[in-house]
Amino acid sequence: MGVPFRLVIYAESKERAQAAAEAAFARVSALNRIFSDYDPDSEAMRLSARAGTGDWHETSPELRTLLALAQRFWEDSDGAFDVTCGPFVQLWRKARRSGTLPSAHEVADARARTGMQHVVLAPVGRSVQLQREGMRLDFGAIAKGFALDEAIRVLNSHGFPRALAEAGGDVVAGDPPPGRSGWRIALAPLDPSAEPELFVELSRRGIATSGDAHQYVLIDGVRYSHIIDPRTGIGLTQHCIVTVVADTGAEADACATTAAVLGPGRGLAFIEARPGAAARFVVGTAEGRERHTSRLWSRLPLLQRDEVIDDKDD
Ligand code: AMP
Ligand code: MG
């Protein structure tokens, strides 16, 4: 998935914790072999290679699960979240390397190969068909969160519920550390070189951040994000960071990307319609920073920086 995974486990026996961690990392590797878009032999890439042939592919349970979840996100977001956006992602990766915008023709060509409406899930069983030639699945906005959920599930099944899993800044928190009400997690600031100002204490929940902070290309003074609006095929140009807390890592991951595409107005309405989810936007404007939060956000156990560093337990 292109990022290191980290586990934190409270345990009485280092050896048993080590064995559990190895099992959790093995699970993450197995998921990487299913979802990676860097590995041409991953299941997602093998399925993509058969797009447009009329073939049905019998998927793994995990691929089928994430495709079904992604389909619901696509429907609920009116197409803002779309795991078939691989052709656009490829185009914008090329733009990041070359520093030049994709041409209108290239965007139109990628658009013809994009769209969840061209993914057919058999109503029973696990068969899937991609109907357009040149389609390419991209689980970059959801697989990491799902893998974190799975890592915590494996640790739990090995008898270690007090655990946390992190990858690329996204976190799934299990049961809290002994004597604490939750895991303290710093919220990523808009400027990645700045110190975090806000923290949240979470247990048995996922938290994910999306935005243009790390991956973007600057062309003619405009910043284009690695997150793409599938309806236009263009990388997002609003400088913002969205943090979402939700019941699972997969939900938080997909919600954060969706909210980033929808922007603060429609994005927060999208989050508020999902039970258990809460979100915060920080938008960079010419005048400074704007913050927008969903209704449930203020109910989270939030801590300011000084409250965290004053706390001797930390
Ligand atoms: P995240 O960091 O979770 O927001 O995911 C960003 C990654 O998801 C990108 O690098 C792409 O691989 C993929 N992606 C970009 N735009 C979208 C989109 N609109 N819907 C689903 N996946 C996307
Ligand atoms: Mg995401």
Side-chain angles (χ1 to χ4, degrees), residues 81 140-142 170 208-210 252-257:
F81 182 89
I142 189 170
D170 294 349
T209 299
S210 282
D253 193 358
C255 276
T257 310

Side-chain angles (χ1 to χ4, degrees), residues 16-308:
R16 283 188 47 235
Q18 196 70 40
E22 274 162 28
F25 284 128
R27 178 74 181 135
V28 171
S29 296
L31 293 173
N32 198 49
R33 283 194 295 278
I34 296 174
F35 294 112
S36 173
D37 77 314
Y38 287 98
D39 172 4
D41 285 332
S42 74
E43 188 184 351
M45 289 303 100
R46 284 186 283 115
L47 168 57
S48 299
R50 293 168 79 181
T53 60
D55 287 355
W56 287 88
H57 171 88
E58 181 70 16
T59 66
S60 60
E62 293 88 345
L63 191 79
R64 170 73 199 207
T65 298
L66 270 206
L67 270 178
L69 185 61
Q71 195 174 47
R72 284 202 297 278
F73 266 92
W74 176 74
E75 282 163 7
D76 294 350
S77 68
D78 294 325
F81 182 89
D82 193 337
V83 293
T84 71
C85 68
F88 288 137
V89 172
Q90 294 301 105
L91 211 53
W92 285 90
R93 275 192 196 149
K94 200 177 94 191
R96 275 212 300 286
R97 284 194 300 270
S98 69
T100 51
L101 285 182
S103 69
H105 170 75
E106 285 175 313
V107 172
D109 169 68
R111 176 174 295 113
R113 298 183 281 122
T114 300
M116 202 67 197
Q117 69 275 21
H118 308 306
V119 177
V120 185
L121 305 187
V124 279
R126 300 199 306 261
S127 293
V128 174
Q129 191 182 59
L130 305 187
Q131 293 185 313
R132 291 272 175 104
E133 197 183 330
M135 288 178 77
R136 185 183 168 104
L137 295 173
D138 185 318
F139 289 96
I142 189 170
K144 204 186 338 148
F146 181 64
L148 292 170
D149 289 329
E150 286 293 294
I152 288 296
R153 194 181 58 74
V154 169
L155 295 178
N156 226 328
S157 72
H158 278 71
F160 297 103
R162 296 187 189 278
L164 172 143
E166 183 268 340
D170 294 349
V171 172
V172 170
D175 286 356
R180 304 293 293 251
S181 52
W183 295 84
R184 279 192 185 165
I185 297 157
L187 304 188
L190 181 63
D191 169 3
S193 63
E195 290 290 332
E197 289 301 324
L198 197 58
F199 295 73
V200 63
E201 231 169 40
L202 296 178
S203 60
R204 291 184 221 108
R205 313 207 75 194
I207 178 166
T209 299
S210 282
D212 63 350
H214 296 282
Q215 293 188 48
Y216 64 89
V217 55
L218 195 65
I219 301 172
D220 296 334
V222 181
R223 248 172 107 112
Y224 297 91
S225 164
H226 70 302
I227 300 172
I228 290 137
D229 186 337
R231 299 158 304 181
T232 61
I234 307 297
L236 303 184
T237 52
Q238 188 172 50
H239 182 34
C240 79
I241 193 159
V242 194
T243 301
V244 176
V245 174
D247 289 341
T248 68
E251 169 93 6
D253 193 358
C255 276
T257 310
T258 308
V261 175
L262 293 174
R266 290 189 51 216
L268 290 177
F270 175 84
I271 297 296
E272 285 173 355
R274 305 190 77 87
R280 177 182 81 144
F281 272 84
V282 182
V283 183
T285 65
E287 288 76 41
R289 305 239 182 297
E290 276 176 18
R291 287 179 179 76
H292 307 269
T293 56
S294 70
R295 264 183 282 116
L296 287 182
W297 180 262
S298 60
R299 300 227 203 125
L300 293 171
L302 298 165
L303 298 157
Q304 300 294 328
R305 180 171 188 75
D306 48 2
E307 296 174 84
V308 172

Side-chain angles (χ1 to χ4, degrees), residues 1-16:
M1 276 167 258
V3 286
F5 273 67
R6 191 165 62 102
L7 304 173
V8 185
I9 305 169
Y10 278 87
E12 281 166 14
S13 146
K14 187 169 178 180
E15 287 67 35
R16 283 188 47 235

